[in-house]
Amino acid sequence: MINRDNKRLQKQAERDRRVEKIHQAHPELAAIDRRLRLTGIRLVQGAIGRLTAEELESLNRERQELTAARKDLLKRLPVDPSLFEVQWDCPRCEDRGWIDFGVKCPCLIQEEIDEAFAQSGLTGDMKNQTFETFSLAWYEQQEHLHPGLAGRMRTALERCRDFTAAIIAGNGKGNLLFYGTVGTGKTHLSSAIANRLLEAGKTVIYRTISQIMNSIMEAKFDFQNNGRQPEVLAALRSADLVIIDDLGTEKRTDFVVTELFELVNDRQRMGKPMVISMNIELGEMANFYNHRLADRLIMQSYCIRFEGKSVRQLMKATGLSGGF
C-alpha cells in the first residue's frame, strides 16, 4: 500500500522545486512572493495578539497590494499560475485517501482493492479499449454473411453506454451477460465499461472466473494471508462493478458453483451490477453449472449475443491491432 504521507510530501517537494526554478528565472516575482510570505507570518502574529489594530490594518493593506501586483505580474510573464499549486494525483482528496472523517476517497478504495488482489484487472491493451475505439466497421464488413450484424452491435454498444451511465449516476441495476464467438468484441466492450467507470471515480474489479475463484478460495482457506479475507470478499460484493471474464472455462466444482451463486445473489441484494462474459451459448450454461445458477444469471441480466468472424483475426489480416 502506498504511504500517503510520503506521497504528499513528494508532491509538495515537486511543487517547491518548480517554484524555485520560476523564482530564479523571474527575480521580481520571487521578491513579491517573499514579501507576501513575511506578511503572512506577521499576520499570524497579529492573530495571537502581538500586533496593534493599526499594524494589522497596515499589513492587510500591504497584502492586498502585493497580491494585486503579483496577479498583474503573472499576466505579463510566460508562467502558468497552476505551477505554483501541488499537482495531486487525486484532486478530490489531495492524495490523503479520505474526503471526510471516516469517508474513504474512491482512489483509496480502488487502491485497497488492487492491493487485495494479486494483479491489476486491466492489462495494458485493455486500458486503451474505450467506447470511442470500438469500431462498427468490422461488423459492417460482415453484413453479407450476417445480415443486420452491424445494427445489432450498434444497439449493443449503446446498451453498454447506458449501462455505464446508470452506474455513474448511482442508478445501476441488473447485469450484462455477453456470450458467443471468441474475438467478436466482448472483451473490448467490457474494458470500455471498466475504463469509463474508473475515469468517473468508481471502483471496478475485472477478473477471469478462475482468478476470482482462486481469490475467494485463498481468502477463505489460506490462513497465512495476513487477514486479507475481509478485504477480498467485501470488495467482490461492494465494488461498483464486478466484471467476470471467461465464464465456463474454469474447473467446475461444487465450491465454484456455490460461490458463484452466492456472489451473484449478494450483489443483486446490494443493488450492485455485474458484467459477465462467456464463449458458450445460453442454452449450454445449465450443462456447465446447474439450472438454478443458469436461471439466476440469465433472469438477472440483459443478454447480448456476439457473433460473426473473429475481429481479432480480421484485424490481424489487415495488419492492425486493437485487443478485441
Side-chain angles (χ1 to χ4, degrees):
M1 187 73 68
I2 296 173
N3 186 308
R4 293 274 172 168
D5 290 336
N6 288 344
K7 182 179 181 181
R8 282 176 54 80
L9 289 173
Q10 290 172 1
K11 291 289 186 179
Q12 290 166 348
E14 290 172 3
R15 183 272 316 274
D16 292 343
R17 287 192 291 270
R18 287 197 304 271
V19 172
E20 184 178 357
K21 289 183 178 179
I22 294 172
H23 282 169
Q24 290 174 352
H26 305 286
E28 185 180 356
L29 179 61
I32 293 177
D33 284 347
R34 184 165 53 253
R35 289 179 61 190
L36 274 170
R37 184 166 58 253
L38 292 174
T39 303
I41 294 173
R42 292 282 287 158
L43 284 170
V44 171
Q45 293 175 341
I48 58 177
R50 293 186 178 180
L51 298 178
T52 65
E54 291 78 9
E55 288 173 320
L56 279 174
E57 182 180 354
S58 176
L59 283 171
N60 278 314
R61 187 166 54 252
E62 181 181 359
R63 183 177 61 174
Q64 292 173 0
E65 292 172 354
L66 288 170
T67 300
R70 186 181 192 275
K71 184 177 180 180
D72 181 66
L73 180 58
L74 283 175
K75 288 181 180 178
R76 293 184 280 111
L77 293 177
V79 176
D80 183 355
S82 67
L83 294 176
F84 291 88
E85 305 297 329
V86 179
Q87 305 299 311
W88 306 112
D89 289 337
C90 180
R92 182 183 304 186
C93 70
E94 296 185 345
D95 293 353
R96 291 183 179 90
W98 301 84
I99 54 179
D100 201 350
F101 182 76
V103 181
K104 292 181 180 179
C105 182
C107 73
L108 177 57
I109 295 172
Q110 188 66 47
E111 182 183 319
E112 290 177 337
I113 291 174
D114 289 341
E115 180 72 14
F117 285 85
Q119 59 184 18
S120 171
L122 292 170
T123 60
D125 286 343
M126 295 163 70
K127 293 178 181 178
N128 298 320
Q129 293 174 334
T130 66
F131 292 129
E132 290 71 28
T133 60
F134 187 82
S135 175
L136 294 170
W138 301 106
Y139 305 98
E140 293 168 353
Q141 294 178 13
Q142 304 179 55
E143 280 290 319
H144 63 292
L145 296 174
H146 303 277
L149 176 60
R152 291 191 293 275
M153 293 311 301
R154 183 176 293 104
T155 300
L157 174 60
E158 291 308 311
R159 184 75 184 196
C160 291
R161 288 182 185 272
D162 292 343
F163 175 83
T164 307
I167 297 176
I168 294 173
N171 302 319
K173 58 182 179 180
N175 306 319
L176 290 180
L177 178 58
F178 298 160
Y179 69 100
T181 312
V182 174
T184 49
K186 297 188 295 296
T187 296
H188 193 131
L189 283 181
S190 296
S191 299
I193 292 170
N195 284 316
R196 180 66 58 83
L197 289 176
L198 290 171
E199 289 175 1
K202 299 298 182 179
T203 52
V204 178
I205 294 176
Y206 193 139
R207 299 289 187 275
T208 66
I209 182 62
S210 296
Q211 289 172 331
I212 285 180
M213 288 303 153
N214 287 340
S215 294
I216 292 176
M217 183 174 293
E218 176 188 334
K220 288 195 169 186
F221 302 116
D222 180 4
F223 299 104
Q224 304 299 320
N225 63 5
N226 298 318
R228 289 177 60 237
Q229 175 179 344
E231 291 182 23
V232 172
L233 301 183
L236 281 170
R237 283 156 175 78
S238 64
D240 293 311
L241 180 68
V242 169
I243 302 176
I244 301 179
D245 198 11
D246 288 339
L247 192 72
T249 61
E250 76 285 3
K251 182 178 180 181
R252 294 179 299 282
T253 65
D254 290 341
F255 175 83
V256 168
V257 174
T258 299
E259 292 299 329
L260 181 57
F261 183 87
E262 290 300 323
L263 176 59
V264 172
N265 226 28
D266 287 348
R267 288 191 62 83
Q268 180 196 27
R269 188 177 65 253
M270 297 174 67
K272 298 288 188 176
M274 302 175 70
V275 173
I276 300 168
S277 178
M278 60 186 189
N279 297 326
I280 59 177
E281 295 294 325
L282 291 183
E284 301 174 11
M285 191 184 295
N287 297 329
F288 276 77
Y289 302 104
N290 55 42
H291 288 285
R292 181 169 174 251
L293 177 55
D295 288 346
R296 181 61 57 92
L297 285 171
I298 294 172
M299 294 301 295
Q300 292 180 8
S301 305
Y302 181 87
C303 302
I304 300 177
R305 187 171 190 272
F306 288 72
E307 56 185 318
K309 291 184 177 180
S310 169
V311 176
R312 291 196 192 106
Q313 294 180 7
L314 291 174
M315 297 179 81
K316 185 177 181 181
T318 58
L320 299 175
S321 61
F324 263 67

